[in-house]
Amino acid sequence: MTSGSTDYRDSGLVFPESFVFGSATASYQVEGAVREDGRGQSIWDTFSHTPGRVLNGDTGDVADDHYHRVEEDLDLMKRLNLGAYRFSIAWPRIQPTGRGPANQAGLDFYSRLVDGLLERGITPVATLYHWDLPQALEDEGGWTNRETALAFGEYARLVGHALGDRVAVWTTLNEPWCAAYLGYALGEHAPGRTEPRASFQAAHHLNLAHGLAVQALRAVVTNDPQFSVTLNLHALRGDGPTGAEAVRRIDAIGNRVFTGPMLHGTYPADLLEDTASITDWSFVLEGDTEIIHQKLDVLGVNYYSTSLVRMRNGAGDAGGADGHGEFDASPWPSADDVEFLPQPGPFTSMGWNIEPSGLEELLLAVRAEFPEMPLMVTENGVAFEDVVTEGERGRVVHDDDRIDYLRRHLTAAHRALAAGVDLRGYFVWSLLDNFEWSFGYSMRFGIVRVDFDTLERIPKDSAHWYAQLAATRTIPEARLG
Ligand code: IFM
């Protein structure tokens, strides 16, 4: 495992007083209770109940049953010394069909959650969209339909009105890259569509939804919150003489398609050129980029691994002239001529390479492009095959590999801080083992194990380790059982 140069300690490092240590989850991944208290159907209900879409036919019907166990989970967060909790709000709990008046029971659930956090001294960080689009909106085109962005603005207003006196940080979208490209181009995520042109339309409407949501929230909140978005920015490395061109191409489709309009107020010219064979971007209407370009207080960055890219030998036209069906479905529409190379291990259970220095590189790169923007690592964590053993005081999980992963990544974050990055916090993904999208319950990212038969929570060793870090702001020396 590498973590950059070796002259930097990876334990005993102290984070600044104001640095926030939190943990994150998302509604569909943990809540369950999908048919309760007026919740409508989401695209993930439909997708997970469609045979063949999710490993083992798993669904989020029960998940971690967090909806019913919220008090227990809040107490757990307190015991783990979390300074902040990043959760997402299920749009279909608030508006079962994505339109119309708010469902009070849905608002009440999140209101209780926010109050419970505040009572325990934990800062609420709320995400409006972590992929559970109301199915009724998908039936009208989903994110390919501009109306969805407008509806999102209204949803933001309703939520902001109810919780806008207590939420400290509002995040509009989580990882719009996944929503647009995994959902509408690769088809591995809900709604499972494989339409390259539609995925760019979805990306734009997600951007527009972000801008409209910030505007709506700003108009109704009564406290003084921070506004943000969370992006899974791709940490790209180029291989060989064509590496730089390949990095530019993927950076445009994967990163700058979002940061361009959100933070610079314009779509990058090279993105529009690269994708011209698929779309003319005529769905970007006059005034849209002004709406998308809202002042943000902090940018959320999710980081898990790096990608190594180069141009394919003798590559032809990218993505096919009409953008339909000439190539296998890909999450990189218009970039079939870019090759993603295998990377050296070690790997996580997801098959992702473990490369902590990529986090440092990414934070430095974001700082270089947006020097004034405070940053937060809103997700970082790892799925490994945990082993449960019987300890003196019950069942335990000695997940030294996860502790090692977290320690190395926190060290990388600390290096970025030391290099002058305005990094405000770190959220471990995830608080609980949960529904890992198309992998179902086969991937365990939690620092707390969930027994999916009994729903019992078992803090893993990494949870104790993280609790010590959160309490002392100092990277602990060794594993704590
Ligand atoms: O579980 C997901 C999360 O929902 C979004 N970011 C990546 C995580 C791990 O795949």
Side-chain angles (χ1 to χ4, degrees):
M1 235 179 265
T2 68
S3 62
S5 69
T6 50
D7 59 356
Y8 203 87
R9 290 176 302 148
D10 68 355
S11 61
L13 294 170
V14 182
F15 285 83
E17 194 83 51
S18 57
F19 195 87
V20 174
F21 290 100
S23 184
T25 64
S27 45
Y28 190 70
Q29 295 182 271
V30 298
E31 284 178 3
V34 293
R35 281 176 279 277
E36 281 179 54
D37 293 339
R39 179 186 179 278
Q41 188 174 329
S42 84
I43 55 174
W44 269 98
D45 295 305
T46 309
F47 192 75
S48 64
H49 279 271
T50 306
R53 292 303 206 171
V54 174
L55 198 66
N56 303 320
D58 290 343
T59 73
D61 286 6
V62 176
D64 293 339
D65 197 32
H66 169 72
Y67 191 78
H68 296 121
R69 293 163 195 254
V70 64
E71 286 296 319
E72 179 191 340
D73 290 341
L74 284 162
D75 288 344
L76 183 57
M77 292 177 215
K78 177 73 183 161
R79 283 205 305 282
L80 296 181
N81 304 322
L82 295 188
Y85 176 54
R86 175 175 177 253
F87 61 95
S88 80
I89 294 167
W91 188 349
R93 282 201 197 282
I94 309 302
Q95 292 175 295
T97 61
R99 296 185 201 284
N103 168 36
Q104 193 56 44
L107 290 176
D108 288 347
F109 170 71
Y110 295 107
S111 191
R112 281 198 307 278
L113 172 62
V114 168
D115 285 344
L117 290 167
L118 293 173
E119 280 159 18
R120 291 166 179 82
I122 302 170
T123 301
V125 177
T127 299
L128 287 174
Y129 188 71
H130 198 125
W131 311 346
D132 32 13
L133 182 71
Q135 180 61 45
L137 293 183
E138 178 56 35
D139 294 343
E140 296 171 18
W143 287 111
T144 68
N145 184 350
R146 185 180 178 85
E147 291 297 316
T148 297
L150 306 186
F152 190 75
E154 172 59 8
Y155 156 64
R157 190 185 68 79
L158 294 173
V159 176
H161 190 258
L163 307 179
D165 53 342
R166 287 161 290 160
V167 166
V169 183
W170 288 100
T171 301
T172 54
L173 309 173
N174 178 73
E175 301 182 353
W177 179 86
C178 297
Y181 298 118
L182 298 183
Y184 289 85
L186 181 64
E188 191 182 287
H189 277 195
R193 289 165 62 176
T194 49
E195 303 159 38
R197 182 180 290 120
S199 69
F200 289 122
Q201 211 164 351
H204 174 62
H205 292 143
L206 282 154
N207 282 335
L208 187 60
H210 157 80
L212 291 167
V214 175
Q215 285 182 336
L217 287 169
R218 227 189 268 288
V220 295
V221 296
T222 55
N223 59 352
D224 186 22
Q226 297 195 311
F227 297 102
S228 73
V229 66
T230 278
L231 304 176
N232 55 325
L233 294 173
H234 299 267
L236 302 164
R237 293 169 175 181
D239 178 74
T242 62
E245 170 63 2
V247 165
R248 183 196 64 72
R249 292 278 301 279
I250 297 302
D251 185 46
I253 313 173
N255 298 336
R256 288 183 287 119
V257 67
F258 303 111
T259 56
M262 286 179 184
L263 301 177
H264 287 309
T266 177
Y267 280 102
D270 62 331
L271 168 74
L272 306 187
E273 265 170 45
D274 291 346
T275 55
S277 66
I278 291 188
T279 178
D280 60 6
W281 294 81
S282 53
F283 41 79
V284 181
L285 305 188
E286 206 182 322
D288 282 3
T289 48
E290 284 73 35
I291 295 172
I292 298 167
H293 188 205
Q294 295 297 314
K295 183 183 170 314
L296 297 183
D297 303 294
V298 59
L299 176 66
V301 176
N302 291 356
Y303 174 82
Y304 290 91
S305 63
T306 56
S307 301
L308 182 64
V309 292
R310 70 177 177 208
M311 301 306 292
R312 280 184 207 284
N313 264 340
D317 175 29
D322 64 359
H324 287 288
E326 268 187 46
F327 297 93
D328 288 344
S330 155
W332 300 107
S334 85
D336 296 278
D337 48 354
V338 175
E339 188 178 3
F340 285 74
L341 299 168
Q343 301 196 70
F347 302 100
T348 73
S349 295
M350 295 290 284
W352 298 342
N353 66 312
I354 300 175
E355 186 53 298
S357 61
L359 174 59
E360 183 189 352
E361 276 168 36
L362 183 62
L363 294 172
L364 290 172
V366 177
R367 194 267 307 258
E369 192 173 351
F370 308 104
E372 304 303 324
M373 179 60 71
L375 306 179
M376 272 214 288
V377 175
T378 36
E379 281 182 32
N380 175 241
V382 64
F384 283 129
E385 278 170 35
D386 297 325
V387 178
V388 185
T389 52
E390 214 44 64
E392 272 171 25
R393 275 173 287 161
R395 300 202 291 162
V396 291
V397 179
H398 294 312
D399 57 340
D400 292 7
D401 45 6
R402 181 172 290 100
I403 292 176
D404 193 58
Y405 179 100
L406 297 179
R407 190 178 57 232
R408 287 169 190 272
H409 285 78
L410 280 151
T411 301
H414 196 279
R415 289 170 66 99
L417 262 173
V421 173
D422 185 3
L423 185 64
R424 303 284 174 92
Y426 174 98
F427 290 72
V428 62
W429 183 270
S430 176
L431 175 66
L432 303 167
D433 289 340
N434 59 46
F435 177 81
E436 177 54 25
W437 309 111
S438 55
F439 294 88
Y441 296 102
S442 66
M443 295 291 155
R444 293 180 174 274
F445 276 90
I447 55 172
V448 175
R449 183 177 177 94
V450 176
D451 179 322
F452 292 117
D453 295 322
T454 63
L455 297 168
E456 183 194 358
R457 276 79 165 132
I458 305 168
K460 305 177 190 177
D461 285 358
S462 57
H464 301 298
W465 181 90
Y466 194 68
Q468 165 142 350
L469 168 66
T472 61
R473 290 177 294 102
T474 306
I475 298 183
E477 294 287 339
R479 136 173 122 67
L480 299 161

